[in-house]
Amino acid sequence: MTPSPVAKATQTGYPKKAILGKMALGAGQESSRPLEGPLKAKEASGRVITTVFIALLIDLLGFTLILPLLPSILDHYSKNDDGLYLTLQHGVDRFAAVVGVPPERKYNNVLFGGLIGSIFSVLQFFASPLTGAASDCFGRRPLMLLTVMGLIASYSLWAVSRSFELFLLSRVVGGISKGNVSLSTAIIADLACPKARNKGMAMIGVAFSLGFTLGPMLGAYLAMEAEKGEIFYLWSALFAVMFSITDLAFIFFFLPETLPKEKRVSSVISGFQSVTSLLSPWALFQFSAASPPAFHATLHSSLNISSRFFSLGVDLAHARSQRQPLHGDVCLACMAAAIYWSLQ
C-alpha cells in the first residue's frame, strides 16, 4: 500500500502539524486564485473608464471654447469683404428668402453660424464611422492618437487664421478629425463586463455635460480678457491647442489598447464595408448595430445623467446672463463627484 504524503514527510523528520498547516495554506491559496482574475479585470476596467473620461473631458473643453465666439468671429470676417465669405453669404440669403426668415442681422448670424456648424457636423458624421472601421483593424489607441493630432492641427490653423478661408479650413480639418468621440465609445464597448460598459457610457455622458457647460464659459471669459488691439479669439484658440496637446500626452502615457489582435478584423476593406449600414438613416434609427439590452441600459443611464447636467448648465448660464449670484460651479463639481463615486 502506498503511504500518504503526510506519512512520507513524517518519516523524513518534518513535524506532522507543520505539514498539515502548509497543506491547508496551499489549499487556501488555490481557492483564492479564481478570484484574482475578476478583481484584476475590474481594476483594469476602472482605469480605462477613468482614462477615457479625463481624455474626453479635456477634448470637449477645447472643442467647446469656440461655441460662444462663433457669431462674433463671423462678424469679424464679414468686415474683410472676403470672397468665399460673400459667396456663402449669398447662399444663406437665398435660403433665408425661400423659408421666409426676416432680413435682420441677428437671424443672418444664426443661419450663417448654422451653416459653418453643419459643415463640421457633416464631416464628423462621415469621418467617425471610417475612423471606427480603421480602429477595428489597427486598434483603438493608434487611431485615437491620430485623431487628436488632427485636432491639434485644426486648432493651430484657427489660432493663426487671419482670413475666412483659413478659418473654414480649420473647421474642415476638425470635423474630419473628430472621430475620437466615437473611438471613446468603442473603447468602453471593448470592456468585458456589462456593468463596466454601462458605467463607462454614463461617464461619457458626464464628460459631455461638463465639457459643454464649462468650455463655453471659459471661451467667453478668455475673449473678454483680450487686450485692446489683440484678436479676441486668439487666447481661446491657443487654449484649445493646449488642451489638445495635453490630451495627446495623456492618451499616449495612460490609455492602453483595449482591442486584442485576435479580435481585430483581417483588413480595413472589410471594416469599411460595414460602414454603409452606419451611414444609413434607416439603420441608425432602427439601432440594428447595437445589442438591445446593453444598449438601452447604457442609453438610459447616459441620457438621465446628461439631462441633469444640461439643466444645471442652462440654469447657470441664465443666472450668469442676468448677473445673479449663483453657486452653480460648486454644485456642478459636487454633483460630478457624487455621480462618479456612485458609479464605482
Side-chain angles (χ1 to χ4, degrees), residues 247-295:
D247 196 25
L248 180 68
F250 183 80
I251 292 171
F252 181 81
F253 286 109
F254 295 104
L255 182 66
E257 178 58 61
T258 58
L259 186 64
K261 291 184 178 180
E262 60 271 14
K263 292 185 178 181
R264 299 178 189 178
V265 297
S266 56
S267 65
V268 185
I269 303 300
S270 61
F272 285 164
Q273 289 175 350
S274 63
V275 169
T276 54
S277 63
L278 298 176
L279 297 177
S280 170
W282 177 254
L284 287 174
F285 285 107
Q286 290 294 315
F287 301 109
S288 57
S291 59
F295 176 77

mmCIF file of all heavy atoms in Angstrom, residues 247-295:
data_model
loop_
_atom_site.group_PDB
_atom_site.id
_atom_site.type_symbol
_atom_site.label_atom_id
_atom_site.label_comp_id
_atom_site.label_asym_id
_atom_site.label_seq_id
_atom_site.Cartn_x
_atom_site.Cartn_y
_atom_site.Cartn_z
ATOM 1 N N ASP A 247 -4.179 66.490 -24.045
ATOM 2 C CA ASP A 247 -4.946 65.277 -24.298
ATOM 3 C C ASP A 247 -4.101 64.230 -25.006
ATOM 4 O O ASP A 247 -4.149 63.039 -24.684
ATOM 5 C CB ASP A 247 -6.174 65.631 -25.144
ATOM 6 C CG ASP A 247 -7.223 64.536 -25.128
ATOM 7 O OD1 ASP A 247 -7.270 63.760 -24.157
ATOM 8 O OD2 ASP A 247 -8.015 64.456 -26.093
ATOM 9 N N LEU A 248 -3.288 64.672 -25.968
ATOM 10 C CA LEU A 248 -2.415 63.736 -26.692
ATOM 11 C C LEU A 248 -1.416 63.085 -25.745
ATOM 12 O O LEU A 248 -1.212 61.856 -25.791
ATOM 13 C CB LEU A 248 -1.687 64.480 -27.814
ATOM 14 C CG LEU A 248 -0.728 63.648 -28.668
ATOM 15 C CD1 LEU A 248 -1.499 62.633 -29.507
ATOM 16 C CD2 LEU A 248 0.109 64.557 -29.580
ATOM 17 N N ALA A 249 -0.783 63.876 -24.887
ATOM 18 C CA ALA A 249 0.191 63.325 -23.944
ATOM 19 C C ALA A 249 -0.489 62.387 -22.950
ATOM 20 O O ALA A 249 0.051 61.318 -22.619
ATOM 21 C CB ALA A 249 0.894 64.466 -23.203
ATOM 22 N N PHE A 250 -1.668 62.754 -22.481
ATOM 23 C CA PHE A 250 -2.384 61.916 -21.518
ATOM 24 C C PHE A 250 -2.750 60.573 -22.130
ATOM 25 O O PHE A 250 -2.582 59.515 -21.508
ATOM 26 C CB PHE A 250 -3.638 62.645 -21.043
ATOM 27 C CG PHE A 250 -4.415 61.907 -19.985
ATOM 28 C CD1 PHE A 250 -4.013 61.933 -18.657
ATOM 29 C CD2 PHE A 250 -5.546 61.178 -20.322
ATOM 30 C CE1 PHE A 250 -4.721 61.251 -17.687
ATOM 31 C CE2 PHE A 250 -6.253 60.490 -19.359
ATOM 32 C CZ PHE A 250 -5.840 60.523 -18.040
ATOM 33 N N ILE A 251 -3.255 60.587 -23.363
ATOM 34 C CA ILE A 251 -3.617 59.334 -24.035
ATOM 35 C C ILE A 251 -2.378 58.482 -24.293
ATOM 36 O O ILE A 251 -2.394 57.261 -24.110
ATOM 37 C CB ILE A 251 -4.358 59.647 -25.350
ATOM 38 C CG1 ILE A 251 -5.721 60.257 -25.051
ATOM 39 C CG2 ILE A 251 -4.525 58.398 -26.208
ATOM 40 C CD1 ILE A 251 -6.442 60.799 -26.273
ATOM 41 N N PHE A 252 -1.294 59.121 -24.698
ATOM 42 C CA PHE A 252 -0.070 58.378 -25.016
ATOM 43 C C PHE A 252 0.469 57.643 -23.795
ATOM 44 O O PHE A 252 0.932 56.494 -23.896
ATOM 45 C CB PHE A 252 0.982 59.345 -25.566
ATOM 46 C CG PHE A 252 2.278 58.686 -25.941
ATOM 47 C CD1 PHE A 252 2.427 58.025 -27.145
ATOM 48 C CD2 PHE A 252 3.364 58.714 -25.059
ATOM 49 C CE1 PHE A 252 3.629 57.407 -27.478
ATOM 50 C CE2 PHE A 252 4.553 58.102 -25.385
ATOM 51 C CZ PHE A 252 4.688 57.442 -26.597
ATOM 52 N N PHE A 253 0.402 58.258 -22.629
ATOM 53 C CA PHE A 253 1.000 57.662 -21.434
ATOM 54 C C PHE A 253 0.042 56.766 -20.648
ATOM 55 O O PHE A 253 0.497 55.862 -19.945
ATOM 56 C CB PHE A 253 1.536 58.767 -20.519
ATOM 57 C CG PHE A 253 2.797 59.412 -21.022
ATOM 58 C CD1 PHE A 253 2.766 60.712 -21.511
ATOM 59 C CD2 PHE A 253 3.999 58.728 -21.024
ATOM 60 C CE1 PHE A 253 3.919 61.316 -21.991
ATOM 61 C CE2 PHE A 253 5.160 59.321 -21.495
ATOM 62 C CZ PHE A 253 5.118 60.618 -21.982
ATOM 63 N N PHE A 254 -1.251 56.980 -20.747
ATOM 64 C CA PHE A 254 -2.168 56.288 -19.838
ATOM 65 C C PHE A 254 -3.203 55.391 -20.511
ATOM 66 O O PHE A 254 -3.771 54.526 -19.843
ATOM 67 C CB PHE A 254 -2.909 57.317 -18.960
ATOM 68 C CG PHE A 254 -2.017 58.080 -18.035
ATOM 69 C CD1 PHE A 254 -1.661 59.384 -18.312
ATOM 70 C CD2 PHE A 254 -1.513 57.483 -16.880
ATOM 71 C CE1 PHE A 254 -0.831 60.102 -17.467
ATOM 72 C CE2 PHE A 254 -0.684 58.181 -16.029
ATOM 73 C CZ PHE A 254 -0.337 59.493 -16.318
ATOM 74 N N LEU A 255 -3.490 55.587 -21.792
ATOM 75 C CA LEU A 255 -4.550 54.793 -22.425
ATOM 76 C C LEU A 255 -3.979 53.483 -22.954
ATOM 77 O O LEU A 255 -3.126 53.496 -23.838
ATOM 78 C CB LEU A 255 -5.207 55.573 -23.562
ATOM 79 C CG LEU A 255 -6.365 54.840 -24.256
ATOM 80 C CD1 LEU A 255 -7.538 54.656 -23.301
ATOM 81 C CD2 LEU A 255 -6.806 55.606 -25.504
ATOM 82 N N PRO A 256 -4.457 52.344 -22.474
ATOM 83 C CA PRO A 256 -3.995 51.062 -23.014
ATOM 84 C C PRO A 256 -4.797 50.685 -24.257
ATOM 85 O O PRO A 256 -5.842 51.268 -24.554
ATOM 86 C CB PRO A 256 -4.270 50.084 -21.858
ATOM 87 C CG PRO A 256 -5.477 50.664 -21.183
ATOM 88 C CD PRO A 256 -5.378 52.158 -21.323
ATOM 89 N N GLU A 257 -4.283 49.702 -24.980
ATOM 90 C CA GLU A 257 -5.026 49.162 -26.121
ATOM 91 C C GLU A 257 -6.083 48.187 -25.600
ATOM 92 O O GLU A 257 -5.765 47.263 -24.858
ATOM 93 C CB GLU A 257 -4.072 48.456 -27.087
ATOM 94 C CG GLU A 257 -4.756 47.827 -28.275
ATOM 95 C CD GLU A 257 -5.545 48.834 -29.090
ATOM 96 O OE1 GLU A 257 -4.942 49.789 -29.605
ATOM 97 O OE2 GLU A 257 -6.784 48.664 -29.171
ATOM 98 N N THR A 258 -7.330 48.402 -25.983
ATOM 99 C CA THR A 258 -8.433 47.585 -25.470
ATOM 100 C C THR A 258 -8.933 46.548 -26.467
ATOM 101 O O THR A 258 -9.764 45.723 -26.101
ATOM 102 C CB THR A 258 -9.605 48.489 -25.062
ATOM 103 O OG1 THR A 258 -10.027 49.270 -26.196
ATOM 104 C CG2 THR A 258 -9.195 49.429 -23.931
ATOM 105 N N LEU A 259 -8.463 46.609 -27.710
ATOM 106 C CA LEU A 259 -8.907 45.643 -28.717
ATOM 107 C C LEU A 259 -7.763 44.680 -29.029
ATOM 108 O O LEU A 259 -6.809 45.049 -29.726
ATOM 109 C CB LEU A 259 -9.355 46.365 -29.991
ATOM 110 C CG LEU A 259 -9.969 45.490 -31.078
ATOM 111 C CD1 LEU A 259 -11.270 44.853 -30.586
ATOM 112 C CD2 LEU A 259 -10.218 46.290 -32.352
ATOM 113 N N PRO A 260 -7.818 43.446 -28.525
ATOM 114 C CA PRO A 260 -6.726 42.486 -28.788
ATOM 115 C C PRO A 260 -6.600 42.179 -30.278
ATOM 116 O O PRO A 260 -7.561 42.320 -31.052
ATOM 117 C CB PRO A 260 -7.153 41.248 -27.987
ATOM 118 C CG PRO A 260 -8.192 41.723 -27.029
ATOM 119 C CD PRO A 260 -8.875 42.875 -27.678
ATOM 120 N N LYS A 261 -5.419 41.731 -30.681
ATOM 121 C CA LYS A 261 -5.175 41.454 -32.095
ATOM 122 C C LYS A 261 -6.057 40.328 -32.619
ATOM 123 O O LYS A 261 -6.456 40.330 -33.782
ATOM 124 C CB LYS A 261 -3.701 41.101 -32.302
ATOM 125 C CG LYS A 261 -2.756 42.280 -32.089
ATOM 126 C CD LYS A 261 -1.320 41.905 -32.404
ATOM 127 C CE LYS A 261 -0.393 43.101 -32.243
ATOM 128 N NZ LYS A 261 1.030 42.767 -32.551
ATOM 129 N N GLU A 262 -6.367 39.354 -31.754
ATOM 130 C CA GLU A 262 -7.189 38.235 -32.215
ATOM 131 C C GLU A 262 -8.640 38.645 -32.464
ATOM 132 O O GLU A 262 -9.380 37.901 -33.134
ATOM 133 C CB GLU A 262 -7.152 37.088 -31.205
ATOM 134 C CG GLU A 262 -7.665 37.439 -29.813
ATOM 135 C CD GLU A 262 -6.564 37.973 -28.902
ATOM 136 O OE1 GLU A 262 -5.484 38.315 -29.424
ATOM 137 O OE2 GLU A 262 -6.813 38.042 -27.682
ATOM 138 N N LYS A 263 -9.067 39.802 -31.953
ATOM 139 C CA LYS A 263 -10.435 40.255 -32.173
ATOM 140 C C LYS A 263 -10.547 41.304 -33.268
ATOM 141 O O LYS A 263 -11.642 41.806 -33.535
ATOM 142 C CB LYS A 263 -11.010 40.825 -30.867
ATOM 143 C CG LYS A 263 -11.220 39.788 -29.779
ATOM 144 C CD LYS A 263 -11.906 40.395 -28.571
ATOM 145 C CE LYS A 263 -12.154 39.339 -27.491
ATOM 146 N NZ LYS A 263 -12.843 39.924 -26.298
ATOM 147 N N ARG A 264 -9.447 41.670 -33.894
ATOM 148 C CA ARG A 264 -9.481 42.684 -34.941
ATOM 149 C C ARG A 264 -9.885 42.068 -36.279
ATOM 150 O O ARG A 264 -9.723 40.871 -36.497
ATOM 151 C CB ARG A 264 -8.113 43.360 -35.069
ATOM 152 C CG ARG A 264 -7.679 44.061 -33.791
ATOM 153 C CD ARG A 264 -6.295 44.679 -33.937
ATOM 154 N NE ARG A 264 -5.794 45.173 -32.660
ATOM 155 C CZ ARG A 264 -4.600 45.723 -32.468
ATOM 156 N NH1 ARG A 264 -3.777 45.842 -33.514
ATOM 157 N NH2 ARG A 264 -4.239 46.148 -31.274
ATOM 158 N N VAL A 265 -10.396 42.922 -37.166
ATOM 159 C CA VAL A 265 -10.777 42.453 -38.496
ATOM 160 C C VAL A 265 -9.513 42.216 -39.316
ATOM 161 O O VAL A 265 -8.449 42.781 -39.042
ATOM 162 C CB VAL A 265 -11.698 43.464 -39.190
ATOM 163 C CG1 VAL A 265 -12.996 43.611 -38.423
ATOM 164 C CG2 VAL A 265 -11.018 44.818 -39.321
ATOM 165 N N SER A 266 -9.653 41.381 -40.325
ATOM 166 C CA SER A 266 -8.477 40.991 -41.101
ATOM 167 C C SER A 266 -7.964 42.100 -42.002
ATOM 168 O O SER A 266 -6.770 42.190 -42.278
ATOM 169 C CB SER A 266 -8.811 39.755 -41.949
ATOM 170 O OG SER A 266 -9.938 40.025 -42.783
ATOM 171 N N SER A 267 -8.845 42.983 -42.484
ATOM 172 C CA SER A 267 -8.419 44.052 -43.383
ATOM 173 C C SER A 267 -9.291 45.278 -43.173
ATOM 174 O O SER A 267 -10.404 45.196 -42.647
ATOM 175 C CB SER A 267 -8.503 43.605 -44.850
ATOM 176 O OG SER A 267 -9.848 43.370 -45.222
ATOM 177 N N VAL A 268 -8.765 46.429 -43.601
ATOM 178 C CA VAL A 268 -9.521 47.661 -43.473
ATOM 179 C C VAL A 268 -10.742 47.651 -44.386
ATOM 180 O O VAL A 268 -11.786 48.227 -44.064
ATOM 181 C CB VAL A 268 -8.616 48.868 -43.786
ATOM 182 C CG1 VAL A 268 -9.349 50.180 -43.539
ATOM 183 C CG2 VAL A 268 -7.357 48.832 -42.942
ATOM 184 N N ILE A 269 -10.611 46.996 -45.553
ATOM 185 C CA ILE A 269 -11.707 46.977 -46.522
ATOM 186 C C ILE A 269 -12.950 46.331 -45.913
ATOM 187 O O ILE A 269 -14.070 46.826 -46.067
ATOM 188 C CB ILE A 269 -11.285 46.237 -47.796
ATOM 189 C CG1 ILE A 269 -10.022 46.883 -48.394
ATOM 190 C CG2 ILE A 269 -12.417 46.241 -48.814
ATOM 191 C CD1 ILE A 269 -10.200 48.334 -48.764
ATOM 192 N N SER A 270 -12.767 45.227 -45.213
ATOM 193 C CA SER A 270 -13.916 44.560 -44.599
ATOM 194 C C SER A 270 -14.562 45.439 -43.547
ATOM 195 O O SER A 270 -15.783 45.404 -43.350
ATOM 196 C CB SER A 270 -13.478 43.225 -43.983
ATOM 197 O OG SER A 270 -12.498 43.439 -42.977
ATOM 198 N N GLY A 271 -13.742 46.244 -42.855
ATOM 199 C CA GLY A 271 -14.310 47.167 -41.876
ATOM 200 C C GLY A 271 -15.071 48.298 -42.542
ATOM 201 O O GLY A 271 -16.137 48.710 -42.076
ATOM 202 N N PHE A 272 -14.536 48.796 -43.678
ATOM 203 C CA PHE A 272 -15.210 49.878 -44.392
ATOM 204 C C PHE A 272 -16.529 49.414 -45.008
ATOM 205 O O PHE A 272 -17.449 50.211 -45.184
ATOM 206 C CB PHE A 272 -14.298 50.436 -45.482
ATOM 207 C CG PHE A 272 -13.183 51.294 -44.941
ATOM 208 C CD1 PHE A 272 -12.089 51.618 -45.728
ATOM 209 C CD2 PHE A 272 -13.210 51.777 -43.639
ATOM 210 C CE1 PHE A 272 -11.066 52.400 -45.240
ATOM 211 C CE2 PHE A 272 -12.196 52.561 -43.136
ATOM 212 C CZ PHE A 272 -11.112 52.870 -43.944
ATOM 213 N N GLN A 273 -16.612 48.147 -45.348
ATOM 214 C CA GLN A 273 -17.852 47.650 -45.942
ATOM 215 C C GLN A 273 -19.018 47.692 -44.953
ATOM 216 O O GLN A 273 -20.171 47.846 -45.354
ATOM 217 C CB GLN A 273 -17.645 46.217 -46.442
ATOM 218 C CG GLN A 273 -16.755 46.135 -47.670
ATOM 219 C CD GLN A 273 -16.451 44.703 -48.074
ATOM 220 O OE1 GLN A 273 -16.743 43.756 -47.335
ATOM 221 N NE2 GLN A 273 -15.860 44.533 -49.253
ATOM 222 N N SER A 274 -18.723 47.558 -43.673
ATOM 223 C CA SER A 274 -19.783 47.621 -42.662
ATOM 224 C C SER A 274 -20.190 49.045 -42.318
ATOM 225 O O SER A 274 -21.161 49.261 -41.599
ATOM 226 C CB SER A 274 -19.331 46.913 -41.383
ATOM 227 O OG SER A 274 -18.202 47.578 -40.826
ATOM 228 N N VAL A 275 -19.440 50.030 -42.836
ATOM 229 C CA VAL A 275 -19.739 51.429 -42.532
ATOM 230 C C VAL A 275 -21.036 51.869 -43.199
ATOM 231 O O VAL A 275 -21.735 52.755 -42.704
ATOM 232 C CB VAL A 275 -18.558 52.326 -42.971
ATOM 233 C CG1 VAL A 275 -18.924 53.799 -42.915
ATOM 234 C CG2 VAL A 275 -17.356 52.064 -42.082
ATOM 235 N N THR A 276 -21.385 51.257 -44.328
ATOM 236 C CA THR A 276 -22.570 51.690 -45.068
ATOM 237 C C THR A 276 -23.838 51.601 -44.215
ATOM 238 O O THR A 276 -24.707 52.471 -44.287
ATOM 239 C CB THR A 276 -22.732 50.833 -46.334
ATOM 240 O OG1 THR A 276 -22.748 49.444 -45.956
ATOM 241 C CG2 THR A 276 -21.585 51.073 -47.289
ATOM 242 N N SER A 277 -23.938 50.578 -43.370
ATOM 243 C CA SER A 277 -25.117 50.467 -42.510
ATOM 244 C C SER A 277 -25.138 51.551 -41.447
ATOM 245 O O SER A 277 -26.204 52.012 -41.022
ATOM 246 C CB SER A 277 -25.154 49.092 -41.838
ATOM 247 O OG SER A 277 -24.028 48.929 -40.994
ATOM 248 N N LEU A 278 -23.946 51.996 -41.012
ATOM 249 C CA LEU A 278 -23.883 53.058 -40.012
ATOM 250 C C LEU A 278 -24.234 54.419 -40.593
ATOM 251 O O LEU A 278 -24.648 55.323 -39.869
ATOM 252 C CB LEU A 278 -22.486 53.108 -39.392
ATOM 253 C CG LEU A 278 -22.047 51.853 -38.636
ATOM 254 C CD1 LEU A 278 -20.613 52.009 -38.152
ATOM 255 C CD2 LEU A 278 -22.966 51.577 -37.460
ATOM 256 N N LEU A 279 -24.045 54.594 -41.913
ATOM 257 C CA LEU A 279 -24.359 55.853 -42.557
ATOM 258 C C LEU A 279 -25.790 55.901 -43.075
ATOM 259 O O LEU A 279 -26.226 56.930 -43.591
ATOM 260 C CB LEU A 279 -23.381 56.110 -43.723
ATOM 261 C CG LEU A 279 -21.914 56.272 -43.321
ATOM 262 C CD1 LEU A 279 -21.046 56.445 -44.554
ATOM 263 C CD2 LEU A 279 -21.738 57.453 -42.377
ATOM 264 N N SER A 280 -26.514 54.811 -42.975
ATOM 265 C CA SER A 280 -27.898 54.776 -43.423
ATOM 266 C C SER A 280 -28.808 55.302 -42.310
ATOM 267 O O SER A 280 -28.806 54.768 -41.202
ATOM 268 C CB SER A 280 -28.307 53.339 -43.778
ATOM 269 O OG SER A 280 -29.696 53.255 -43.990
ATOM 270 N N PRO A 281 -29.606 56.348 -42.587
ATOM 271 C CA PRO A 281 -30.501 56.864 -41.538
ATOM 272 C C PRO A 281 -31.486 55.819 -41.033
ATOM 273 O O PRO A 281 -31.791 55.769 -39.841
ATOM 274 C CB PRO A 281 -31.218 58.028 -42.240
ATOM 275 C CG PRO A 281 -30.299 58.430 -43.345
ATOM 276 C CD PRO A 281 -29.640 57.153 -43.795
ATOM 277 N N TRP A 282 -31.979 54.959 -41.919
ATOM 278 C CA TRP A 282 -32.938 53.944 -41.502
ATOM 279 C C TRP A 282 -32.298 52.970 -40.511
ATOM 280 O O TRP A 282 -32.869 52.620 -39.484
ATOM 281 C CB TRP A 282 -33.468 53.202 -42.705
ATOM 282 C CG TRP A 282 -34.410 52.085 -42.366
ATOM 283 C CD1 TRP A 282 -34.165 50.744 -42.420
ATOM 284 C CD2 TRP A 282 -35.757 52.214 -41.882
ATOM 285 N NE1 TRP A 282 -35.261 50.027 -42.018
ATOM 286 C CE2 TRP A 282 -36.262 50.901 -41.671
ATOM 287 C CE3 TRP A 282 -36.579 53.295 -41.603
ATOM 288 C CZ2 TRP A 282 -37.549 50.667 -41.204
ATOM 289 C CZ3 TRP A 282 -37.857 53.061 -41.134
ATOM 290 C CH2 TRP A 282 -38.333 51.762 -40.938
ATOM 291 N N ALA A 283 -31.057 52.535 -40.825
ATOM 292 C CA ALA A 283 -30.366 51.617 -39.926
ATOM 293 C C ALA A 283 -30.033 52.286 -38.596
ATOM 294 O O ALA A 283 -30.068 51.656 -37.545
ATOM 295 C CB ALA A 283 -29.094 51.094 -40.589
ATOM 296 N N LEU A 284 -29.728 53.589 -38.638
ATOM 297 C CA LEU A 284 -29.404 54.292 -37.401
ATOM 298 C C LEU A 284 -30.610 54.360 -36.477
ATOM 299 O O LEU A 284 -30.510 54.106 -35.275
ATOM 300 C CB LEU A 284 -28.914 55.706 -37.727
ATOM 301 C CG LEU A 284 -27.508 55.820 -38.327
ATOM 302 C CD1 LEU A 284 -27.225 57.258 -38.718
ATOM 303 C CD2 LEU A 284 -26.462 55.342 -37.344
ATOM 304 N N PHE A 285 -31.774 54.694 -37.033
ATOM 305 C CA PHE A 285 -32.957 54.820 -36.192
ATOM 306 C C PHE A 285 -33.525 53.469 -35.774
ATOM 307 O O PHE A 285 -34.296 53.376 -34.826
ATOM 308 C CB PHE A 285 -34.030 55.642 -36.910
ATOM 309 C CG PHE A 285 -33.735 57.114 -36.935
ATOM 310 C CD1 PHE A 285 -33.329 57.733 -38.098
ATOM 311 C CD2 PHE A 285 -33.817 57.867 -35.772
ATOM 312 C CE1 PHE A 285 -33.040 59.089 -38.118
ATOM 313 C CE2 PHE A 285 -33.539 59.220 -35.788
ATOM 314 C CZ PHE A 285 -33.145 59.837 -36.959
ATOM 315 N N GLN A 286 -33.140 52.411 -36.474
ATOM 316 C CA GLN A 286 -33.546 51.064 -36.067
ATOM 317 C C GLN A 286 -32.624 50.486 -35.006
ATOM 318 O O GLN A 286 -32.936 49.459 -34.394
ATOM 319 C CB GLN A 286 -33.563 50.136 -37.289
ATOM 320 C CG GLN A 286 -34.680 50.433 -38.272
ATOM 321 C CD GLN A 286 -36.048 50.154 -37.692
ATOM 322 O OE1 GLN A 286 -36.258 49.126 -37.056
ATOM 323 N NE2 GLN A 286 -36.986 51.059 -37.902
ATOM 324 N N PHE A 287 -31.445 51.120 -34.793
ATOM 325 C CA PHE A 287 -30.447 50.643 -33.815
ATOM 326 C C PHE A 287 -30.092 49.175 -34.082
ATOM 327 O O PHE A 287 -29.935 48.379 -33.159
ATOM 328 C CB PHE A 287 -30.963 50.784 -32.380
ATOM 329 C CG PHE A 287 -31.307 52.185 -32.008
ATOM 330 C CD1 PHE A 287 -32.625 52.579 -31.827
ATOM 331 C CD2 PHE A 287 -30.315 53.135 -31.851
ATOM 332 C CE1 PHE A 287 -32.949 53.881 -31.496
ATOM 333 C CE2 PHE A 287 -30.633 54.438 -31.512
ATOM 334 C CZ PHE A 287 -31.947 54.809 -31.334
ATOM 335 N N SER A 288 -29.955 48.835 -35.367
ATOM 336 C CA SER A 288 -29.711 47.443 -35.718
ATOM 337 C C SER A 288 -28.295 47.000 -35.409
ATOM 338 O O SER A 288 -28.009 45.806 -35.348
ATOM 339 C CB SER A 288 -29.990 47.232 -37.218
ATOM 340 O OG SER A 288 -29.186 48.114 -38.000
ATOM 341 N N ALA A 289 -27.376 47.951 -35.211
ATOM 342 C CA ALA A 289 -25.981 47.593 -34.960
ATOM 343 C C ALA A 289 -25.668 47.403 -33.493
ATOM 344 O O ALA A 289 -24.546 47.065 -33.132
ATOM 345 C CB ALA A 289 -25.056 48.669 -35.535
ATOM 346 N N ALA A 290 -26.652 47.630 -32.598
ATOM 347 C CA ALA A 290 -26.395 47.543 -31.157
ATOM 348 C C ALA A 290 -27.193 46.407 -30.562
ATOM 349 O O ALA A 290 -28.281 46.083 -31.017
ATOM 350 C CB ALA A 290 -26.774 48.862 -30.476
ATOM 351 N N SER A 291 -26.625 45.784 -29.532
ATOM 352 C CA SER A 291 -27.348 44.744 -28.812
ATOM 353 C C SER A 291 -28.378 45.408 -27.911
ATOM 354 O O SER A 291 -28.028 46.262 -27.103
ATOM 355 C CB SER A 291 -26.387 43.900 -27.979
ATOM 356 O OG SER A 291 -25.706 44.707 -27.054
ATOM 357 N N PRO A 292 -29.663 45.059 -28.019
ATOM 358 C CA PRO A 292 -30.726 45.808 -27.338
ATOM 359 C C PRO A 292 -30.579 45.933 -25.827
ATOM 360 O O PRO A 292 -30.675 47.028 -25.306
ATOM 361 C CB PRO A 292 -31.993 45.029 -27.723
ATOM 362 C CG PRO A 292 -31.637 44.352 -28.999
ATOM 363 C CD PRO A 292 -30.175 44.024 -28.890
ATOM 364 N N PRO A 293 -30.321 44.864 -25.048
ATOM 365 C CA PRO A 293 -30.315 45.049 -23.585
ATOM 366 C C PRO A 293 -29.249 46.013 -23.097
ATOM 367 O O PRO A 293 -29.533 46.951 -22.364
ATOM 368 C CB PRO A 293 -30.084 43.622 -23.060
ATOM 369 C CG PRO A 293 -30.450 42.717 -24.186
ATOM 370 C CD PRO A 293 -30.105 43.466 -25.423
ATOM 371 N N ALA A 294 -28.005 45.764 -23.527
ATOM 372 C CA ALA A 294 -26.916 46.621 -23.050
ATOM 373 C C ALA A 294 -27.069 48.031 -23.584
ATOM 374 O O ALA A 294 -26.806 49.015 -22.884
ATOM 375 C CB ALA A 294 -25.564 46.039 -23.497
ATOM 376 N N PHE A 295 -27.536 48.148 -24.848
ATOM 377 C CA PHE A 295 -27.639 49.477 -25.451
ATOM 378 C C PHE A 295 -28.684 50.325 -24.727
ATOM 379 O O PHE A 295 -28.458 51.477 -24.405
ATOM 380 C CB PHE A 295 -27.990 49.345 -26.931
ATOM 381 C CG PHE A 295 -28.213 50.669 -27.601
ATOM 382 C CD1 PHE A 295 -27.136 51.460 -27.960
ATOM 383 C CD2 PHE A 295 -29.494 51.126 -27.848
ATOM 384 C CE1 PHE A 295 -27.328 52.680 -28.574
ATOM 385 C CE2 PHE A 295 -29.697 52.344 -28.456
ATOM 386 C CZ PHE A 295 -28.616 53.127 -28.819
#
